Amino acid sequence: MTGQNTVDKLVSKPYKYGFVTDIETEKIDKGINEDVIKLISRKKDEPEFLLEFRLRAYKQWLKMKEPNWADLKYPKINYQDIIYYAAPKKSEKKASLDDVDPKLLETFDKLGIPLSEQKRLSNVAVDAVFDSVSIATTYKEKLAEHGVVFCSISEAVVDYPELIKRYLGSVVPISDNYFAALNSAVFSDGSFVYIPKGINCPMELSSYFRINSGDTGQFERTLIIAEERSSVSYLEGCTAPMFDTNTLHAAVVELIALDDASIKYSTVQNWYAGNEEGVGGIYNFVTKRGHCRGKRSKISWSQVETGSAITWKYPSCILQGEKSVGEFYSVALTNNLQKADTGTKMIHIGAQTRSTIVSKGISAGKSSNSYRGLVQIGPQATGARNYSQCDSMLIGDQASANTYPYIRSQQPQSNVEHEASTCRISEDQLFYLQSRGINFEEAISMMVSGFCQDVFNQLPMEFAAEADKLLALKLEGSVG
Amino acid sequence: MLKSETKLILEVCDLHANVEDQPILNGVNLQVYAGEIHAIMGRNGSGKSTLSKVIAGHPAYKITGGTIKFEDNNLLDLDPEERARLGVFLGFQYPIEIPGVSNLEFLRVSTNARREYEKKEELDTFEFEDFVQEKLKIVKMDPAFLNRSVNEGFSGGEKKRNEILQMALLEPKLAILDETDSGLDIDALRVVAAGVNKLATPNTATILITHYQRLLNEITPNYVHVMANGKILKTAGKELALQLEKSGYDWIEQISSNKEENQ
Ligand SMILES: Nc1ncnc2c1ncn2[C@@H]1O[C@H](COP(=O)(O)OP(=O)(O)O)[C@@H](O)[C@H]1O
Ligand SMILES: [Mg+2]
């Protein structure tokens, strides 16, 4: 049918961030074993306790099996064919930005994340991670005035070993799942945030993850601790060059909110997705979990997932503190042959805990997009409430969408509401907009951003516009 | 009317179109000059909506022969949005709902797309609000409709008013109104008709697709065409509509099939 072809003309625009930085890199040999883990630990001058943590995780991992329950089919990953540590040379000590290789600064400029004093964003502090290491963190001093710690996790291990000992692995235990165990064994770098009691972090914090090497896995680790009555908003962005091989990314993010603390964690994930035939792209297997330990604490996840060949990701909240609140707002867009299996888990433990889930999946091309969510209400969670809304939008007739909402309640005095819908952008809707002078791409993007509005409203201001543009770009195609 | 002095706006020549290999239009010929109002009548399924959608560029129809000229442009070479910007407007028989897209924003983007082509300055959000208030009066529409999603949950009559509102905003050269009068009560019909009359100028042209004389009492056509089986069978003045109202379509189809047999 001729009409369908119009919709099929949607193809991804060339990926804007696909360039490779030509920089001398120090890499270790491929493969994983105890010696490799010891080597990584030594390179990072880590204290003994962390090496033990890694080795324990490695032993666990060896006993575990790669999960296969998600709606994801991909060729077997050869874990001995991956490099577990790569760092730009001469990055060992980074006393100040002046010591950072100009090529790296240039790379982040090109990515729209300028780091130098003159050009850096005025209201956002950035931790820039390149392959396995953090190369710079801006506004550290200004944040320190408020007692806020924002640095790479490698630095935190040395400077705040007590906090690391206490909290690392406390939300996502090393044996939690296959990819979390692997991450715990070989994690390289990532961000560490500590907000002291009673402090509202004075600026947005942000980490930007850049994969540069094609054969290197990225295993970042992020830990955010919000003490009583504190609050923070944290953004995460990520891109990678275009390689025709698949790169593994297995991150772990742990959030801890104590009494009356609130953490807002937003992600725009734009890893390379592979080409139209599905060659190349990032395998994105991520474990993100927040622990509302304190009373009336709040953890809010917002994510805009547009990249990666495969996404496996379920940012979750453990609602332990009485009256604590968990939120999950997600837009996941897949195109061409991308596959995404994403959602959340809301584990209600404490009394009168509340959670909200809003998920918007958009599938175009031949992609597949699944929402998988669990709402669990424990026996102590009297008066717990959940509201879930999962909407799918299909573009064209070759894409697929699935919804798997699991609800387990052991508490009769709780209230769980679930709504779901699926719609397809119809040719007649497109034609209606076009017949009023609106071009094809703009018509699609109007409908998509209308569909995602509930989620975009949750993103930090600068980010929302960015996300809108990103979606439009992802769907933009050559209309003949 | 002296045709040599007025401008030819639309010229459809021997137009054939298929949907899924099924012929729907079988050689339509139609000429519309500036300042004219044409009515197209005919049984359900005779191809009236198809003709209007083909002129507007709907992708479901495959053109298998013939041409459509709009002023100096070959319409068949253009995308639907380009046709719209040139000044072709189709008021849909069944306006579609677009959830999540704000009516106001939609109207503003489309108005500006057309204005850009006409080399008029772009209207920002505030200027547009003023502009749209003016036009709302023409269709006597409640401004509350601007804050809803495009056509979502609008009643049949509200959808039709929204179509005329769009026509008023876009100021087209050629407006094709496909059964805009169907399903309207008599008051709404008068409002729509008054809107159409108000927007008609000596430089623009209108094609009304309708089943009812009651619309043509309000808007006087220069020509009435009867369509059957994807063709225009007969063309005459406004009196043809009255005759159709009285005698139905049989006699025309009779005459025309006799004609074909004689050939
Ligand atoms: N998109 C389509 N798919 C299949 N058949 C169609 C389509 N559009 C029109 N038709 C068929 O073409 C014929 C003419 O339809 P239409 O142009 O809507 O007639 P009218 O507007 O005169 O009532 C009908 O038989 C109708 O079923
Ligand atoms: Mg019709």
Side-chain angles (χ1 to χ4, degrees):
Chain A
M1 199 177 129
T2 52
Q4 199 50 57
N5 295 341
T6 329
V7 175
D8 290 344
K9 278 181 198 155
L10 286 169
V11 289
S12 284
K13 252 219 153 165
Y15 183 64
K16 209 166 104 186
Y17 307 103
F19 63 91
V20 181
T21 306
D22 180 18
I23 192 160
E24 243 193 293
T25 310
E26 183 203 348
K27 290 181 182 176
I28 63 173
D29 290 339
K30 282 183 176 174
I32 180 166
N33 53 49
E34 288 204 0
D35 289 337
V36 165
I37 291 165
K38 285 178 187 159
L39 181 63
I40 294 173
S41 189
R42 203 164 350 131
K43 284 202 174 295
K44 302 175 88 68
D45 275 330
E46 288 176 355
E48 194 56 30
F49 81 88
L50 200 59
L51 177 59
E52 280 167 21
F53 177 91
R54 290 178 182 278
L55 290 172
R56 252 187 296 135
Y58 177 63
K59 290 204 184 89
Q60 279 292 335
W61 181 70
L62 288 176
K63 286 189 252 168
M64 297 171 92
K65 273 216 171 71
E66 202 167 323
N68 61 1
W69 41 260
D71 275 358
L72 305 169
K73 300 272 171 299
Y74 55 92
K76 223 173 156 34
I77 299 171
N78 179 356
Y79 291 89
Q80 297 304 341
D81 199 34
I82 294 171
I83 293 174
Y84 289 85
Y85 184 85
K89 279 208 173 135
K90 66 176 206 176
S91 73
E92 269 114 73
K93 278 280 163 285
K94 35 162 202 171
S96 79
L97 269 178
D98 302 337
D99 302 332
V100 176
D101 188 323
K103 268 190 190 159
L104 290 175
L105 294 181
E106 212 177 283
T107 301
F108 281 91
D109 266 358
K110 239 167 126 176
L111 296 169
I113 317 288
L115 300 171
S116 63
E117 299 258 351
Q118 307 82 22
K119 286 189 279 181
R120 66 192 185 181
L121 306 167
S122 63
N123 52 345
V124 184
V126 179
D127 183 28
V129 179
F130 189 89
D131 284 339
S132 303
V133 296
S134 159
I135 58 149
T137 311
T138 62
Y139 291 113
K140 266 169 112 161
E141 301 76 22
K142 187 175 169 198
L143 291 166
E145 286 169 24
H146 298 266
V148 171
V149 180
F150 182 37
C151 64
S152 71
I153 198 122
S154 313
E155 287 169 277
V157 165
V158 176
D159 297 343
Y160 309 95
E162 288 314 310
L163 288 173
I164 298 289
K165 253 191 228 170
R166 183 138 125 226
Y167 289 112
L168 191 75
S170 71
V171 185
V172 179
I174 49 177
S175 57
D176 188 81
N177 69 72
Y178 188 79
F179 298 110
L182 178 62
N183 174 287
S184 301
V186 300
F187 74 85
S188 35
D189 220 337
S191 306
F192 174 77
V193 175
Y194 176 80
I195 316 286
K197 267 186 198 169
I199 296 293
N200 296 319
C201 186
M203 59 202 323
E204 296 271 346
L205 305 184
S206 162
S207 293
Y208 194 92
F209 297 99
R210 173 70 178 172
I211 294 180
N212 194 57
S213 314
D215 45 6
T216 307
Q218 172 119 343
F219 305 95
E220 88 257 0
R221 185 101 194 179
T222 297
L223 177 60
I224 300 180
I225 303 157
E227 291 278 8
E228 290 167 22
R229 300 184 317 286
S230 71
S231 72
V232 62
S233 168
Y234 176 93
L235 325 173
E236 168 197 68
C238 22
T239 56
M242 299 193 274
F243 292 112
D244 54 14
T245 51
N246 298 104
T247 308
L248 177 63
H249 171 256
V252 171
V253 174
E254 296 177 282
L255 313 182
I256 295 125
L258 300 180
D259 285 359
D260 298 293
S262 108
I263 302 174
K264 185 178 178 70
Y265 192 109
S266 316
T267 305
V268 169
Q269 186 265 105
N270 189 17
W271 296 119
Y272 177 53
N275 68 9
E276 289 96 285
E277 277 91 52
V279 177
I282 303 284
Y283 288 173
N284 190 32
F285 301 117
V286 173
T287 306
K288 288 184 164 171
R289 194 172 304 153
H291 190 175
C292 284
R293 270 191 210 183
K295 291 177 183 155
R296 297 168 302 275
S297 57
K298 176 176 175 182
I299 289 179
S300 177
W301 299 100
S302 338
Q303 60 172 20
V304 177
E305 300 281 319
T306 65
S308 297
I310 294 180
T311 298
W312 180 98
K313 183 181 170 190
Y314 316 91
S316 304
C317 297
I318 301 170
L319 303 170
Q320 184 180 22
E322 195 181 295
K323 293 189 178 162
S324 58
V325 175
E327 293 177 341
F328 174 75
Y329 296 98
S330 169
V331 166
L333 180 144
T334 53
N335 197 359
N336 299 319
L337 289 158
Q338 278 177 278
K339 299 186 182 88
D341 195 293
T342 182
T344 185
K345 284 191 271 187
M346 292 292 173
I347 313 293
H348 292 254
I349 299 172
Q352 292 177 59
T353 45
R354 274 184 292 138
S355 62
T356 304
I357 299 171
V358 178
S359 159
K360 307 276 178 175
I362 303 156
S363 350
K366 296 180 180 161
S367 68
S368 90
N369 200 327
S370 300
Y371 168 83
R372 190 182 300 277
L374 169 66
V375 175
Q376 185 171 320
I377 315 262
Q380 310 301 321
T382 47
R385 276 189 295 164
N386 163 269
Y387 171 74
S388 305
Q389 184 192 332
C390 303
D391 300 325
S392 312
M393 177 181 254
L394 297 166
I395 302 178
D397 60 1
Q398 299 192 69
S400 71
N402 292 296
T403 305
Y404 305 99
Y406 302 100
I407 298 168
R408 277 188 227 135
S409 180
Q410 296 164 280
Q411 174 48 255
Q413 285 180 30
S414 63
N415 185 354
V416 178
E417 252 179 88
H418 180 87
E419 286 176 28
S421 76
T422 301
C423 65
R424 190 183 292 276
I425 289 191
S426 76
E427 184 175 280
D428 281 326
Q429 288 173 321
L430 281 171
F431 178 62
Y432 189 79
L433 296 175
Q434 282 180 285
S435 76
R436 300 303 184 244
I438 297 169
N439 71 36
F440 186 75
E441 281 96 355
E442 205 179 339
I444 294 256
S445 109
M446 267 176 128
M447 281 189 272
V448 168
S449 61
F451 176 72
C452 299
Q453 211 52 52
D454 296 350
V455 173
F456 288 169
N457 289 344
Q458 299 296 327
L459 293 174
M461 275 276 269
E462 320 78 16
F463 231 33
E466 199 59 27
D468 210 5
K469 265 189 271 166
L470 182 62
L471 289 194
L473 195 70
K474 282 276 160 178
L475 285 170
E476 201 161 300
S478 49
V479 179
Chain B
M1 193 172 289
L2 284 174
K3 292 218 163 157
S4 55
E5 285 170 21
T6 49
K7 212 168 96 198
L8 186 57
I9 290 195
L10 178 76
E11 184 172 35
V12 179
C13 275
D14 196 28
L15 187 66
H16 292 255
N18 287 0
V19 70
E20 284 160 4
D21 295 329
Q22 184 71 36
I24 312 277
L25 299 183
N26 300 305
V28 176
N29 291 294
L30 180 65
Q31 292 188 340
V32 178
Y33 286 80
E36 291 180 349
I37 294 175
H38 290 236
I40 299 181
M41 306 184 83
R43 288 180 200 283
N44 288 330
S46 56
K48 305 181 296 296
S49 293
T50 301
L51 174 63
S52 67
K53 285 194 257 183
V54 165
I55 293 171
H58 196 293
Y61 302 94
K62 188 159 184 272
I63 311 304
T64 51
T67 56
I68 308 177
K69 266 187 89 176
F70 178 74
E71 298 188 309
D72 295 326
N73 306 281
N74 186 354
L75 272 198
L76 296 177
D77 293 342
L78 303 176
D79 286 332
E81 59 268 34
E82 294 171 310
R83 302 183 196 195
R85 289 174 200 160
L86 291 177
V88 176
F89 178 85
L90 170 57
F92 286 84
Q93 180 174 4
Y94 304 109
I96 194 146
E97 303 192 1
I98 310 183
V101 175
S102 131
N103 201 24
L104 183 66
E105 182 62 11
F106 157 68
L107 295 171
R108 192 174 70 83
V109 172
S110 53
T111 303
N112 279 328
R114 168 93 175 110
R115 288 176 73 90
E116 188 185 345
Y117 175 81
E118 294 274 86
K119 304 205 164 54
K120 292 183 187 160
E121 86 283 12
E122 189 181 333
L123 302 175
D124 66 26
T125 329
F126 299 109
E127 291 163 338
F128 184 72
E129 296 230 6
D130 294 341
F131 187 63
V132 81
Q133 289 302 336
E134 272 312 293
K135 306 290 183 182
L136 278 173
K137 285 181 207 149
I138 299 178
V139 288
K140 298 207 165 80
M141 200 166 127
D142 184 342
F145 286 101
L146 299 175
N147 300 322
R148 304 204 0 209
S149 292
V150 178
N151 295 326
E152 196 183 25
F154 288 24
S155 73
E158 288 158 356
K159 284 182 182 165
K160 296 296 174 76
R161 280 186 207 218
N162 205 30
E163 294 292 292
I164 302 299
L165 174 66
Q166 291 168 47
M167 171 176 153
L169 289 166
L170 297 174
E171 299 175 354
K173 287 202 181 112
L174 172 69
I176 306 169
L177 301 178
D178 190 1
E179 298 204 26
T180 301
D181 55 331
S182 296
L184 295 187
D185 60 43
I186 195 73
D187 291 335
L189 180 86
R190 290 227 166 91
V191 169
V192 166
V196 172
N197 283 328
K198 196 155 182 182
L199 297 167
T201 73
N203 300 317
T204 62
T206 309
I207 299 175
L208 300 171
I209 296 173
T210 181
H211 288 296
Y212 305 108
Q213 178 58 36
R214 60 174 200 167
L215 179 70
L216 304 178
N217 291 336
E218 307 285 332
I219 310 171
T220 314
N222 304 89
Y223 300 95
V224 175
H225 310 274
V226 177
M227 254 187 110
N229 292 322
K231 269 190 190 172
I232 290 182
L233 280 190
K234 188 173 172 68
T235 298
K238 62 178 190 225
E239 65 288 345
L240 178 56
L242 288 168
Q243 207 170 343
L244 289 169
E245 181 124 293
K246 246 195 274 156
S247 329
Y249 294 109
D250 282 348
W251 62 277
I252 298 185
E253 284 164 8
Q254 211 70 54
I255 296 169
S256 108
S257 65
N258 289 344
K259 243 197 265 170
E260 258 164 44
E261 271 164 34
N262 294 342
Q263 272 166 8

